[in-house]
Amino acid sequence: MGESVTDDQWINFDGDYGRDYAQLIRTVIPGYGLMHELAAAAARASCPLAQTILIVGPALGEELDLWLLAYPRAQFTLVDPSAAMVHQCRLRIDARQLGRQVNVIQGRLEDVDLSDQCFDIIVAQLVLHLLLPHQQLQVVGCMAKLLADRGLLLFSGSGCHPAPELDPTLLQVWRERLVLLGVELSLIERFGAARNRQVFLLDLEALGSFLCDLGCSAPVQLFQAAHVGLCSSIKGF
């Protein structure tokens, strides 16, 4: 790909990383497909009658098919800062003639004006860990504000589990899995180098306290594979 392994800008959705995203994300995130399935299942269990759904950071929009299956009559809003990802989402939506049901907005959630909207479900899969801790809280605050009463927030990321420190064993398990899958060592090292540069652990205790202050329930862990977890929170619990 041409960049140094320690390049702090490697995880760029408008660059090589974005072009290879579909393959990379399924390789690097253990249980990637299952995590999305469990998120949709958790939503159906908690909010079976949801009519409005916000997906933050939809990337290529592949998860949209699953959400449409779960909520065929819901209205969807997708927000992503990457021009390349938004373009791919729109291609997918146009191909399925979903323009009246799905709205795609380019921009950061905290910069997009959605003040006149309220969502029954908000999903942020593998988004928060790409932000610095204070930015994570800012985005969580935006999502909580946009969430309807009794609405469901689903989020996932690296370190999304109750332990205050990430067990080094989990990272070693993650690394050895990639080795077993035949992933090139240089690519494994590149992902490792991104830690604490472009990928930041989620502090579930801090996020939980912040969510409680905003009138949401403490996060409940729904899934964990190595160091990656999926959590849910309900507003006005």
Side-chain angles (χ1 to χ4, degrees):
M1 295 182 182
E3 303 96 326
S4 166
V5 167
T6 58
D7 184 1
D8 289 351
Q9 300 303 314
W10 176 56
I11 298 181
N12 176 4
F13 288 84
D14 290 314
D16 288 343
Y17 179 84
R19 285 187 287 274
D20 297 334
Y21 183 80
Q23 178 181 352
L24 282 174
I25 199 66
R26 284 170 173 77
T27 301
V28 76
I29 299 296
Y32 175 81
L34 177 58
M35 185 167 63
H36 283 290
E37 292 168 7
L38 289 174
R44 292 260 297 185
S46 297
C47 302
L49 302 179
Q51 295 296 312
T52 53
I53 300 174
L54 169 64
I55 300 178
V56 181
L60 299 171
E62 293 175 304
E63 66 188 276
L64 183 60
D65 292 344
L66 181 61
W67 284 100
L68 285 165
L69 180 64
Y71 295 95
R73 291 183 174 82
Q75 290 293 316
F76 292 84
T77 300
L78 280 53
V79 177
D80 199 297
S82 165
M85 297 298 104
V86 165
H87 176 68
Q88 291 299 319
C89 284
R90 287 176 174 156
L91 289 178
R92 179 177 293 270
I93 290 164
D94 290 345
R96 291 160 174 75
Q97 298 182 336
L98 295 170
R100 293 185 178 181
Q101 189 176 6
V102 184
N103 181 32
V104 185
I105 303 172
Q106 183 184 348
R108 300 187 308 169
L109 181 65
E110 58 270 35
D111 297 331
V112 173
D113 184 10
L114 296 172
S115 57
D116 60 339
Q117 299 187 53
C118 197
F119 298 93
D120 299 318
I121 299 170
I122 299 180
V123 186
Q125 293 270 37
L126 305 173
V127 170
L128 295 175
H129 67 191
L130 299 176
L131 306 172
L132 290 164
H134 73 278
Q135 295 172 322
Q136 293 174 8
L137 294 178
Q138 184 181 13
V139 172
V140 167
C142 290
M143 292 191 293
K145 185 177 181 180
L146 292 169
L147 202 58
D149 189 44
R150 302 301 299 173
L152 177 68
L153 171 63
L154 293 157
F155 61 92
S156 62
S158 180
C160 190
H161 54 83
E165 298 290 339
L166 183 61
D167 186 340
T169 303
L170 296 178
L171 285 177
Q172 187 62 29
V173 169
W174 168 81
R175 179 184 176 90
E176 292 302 327
R177 172 182 171 270
L178 296 183
V179 172
L180 288 171
L181 290 176
V183 177
E184 294 182 4
L185 183 59
S186 60
L187 182 58
I188 298 174
E189 291 176 346
R190 178 168 283 182
F191 275 110
R195 186 170 171 241
N196 295 325
R197 289 188 174 94
Q198 287 189 276
V199 178
F200 305 90
L201 293 181
L202 302 185
D203 184 339
L204 202 56
E205 183 176 349
L207 288 173
S209 177
F210 187 61
L211 281 167
C212 288
D213 289 342
L214 296 173
C216 299
S217 65
V220 174
Q221 187 181 36
L222 303 174
F223 169 81
Q224 182 181 339
H227 62 296
V228 178
L230 167 68
C231 293
S232 67
S233 176
I234 297 176
K235 186 172 183 179
F237 63 101

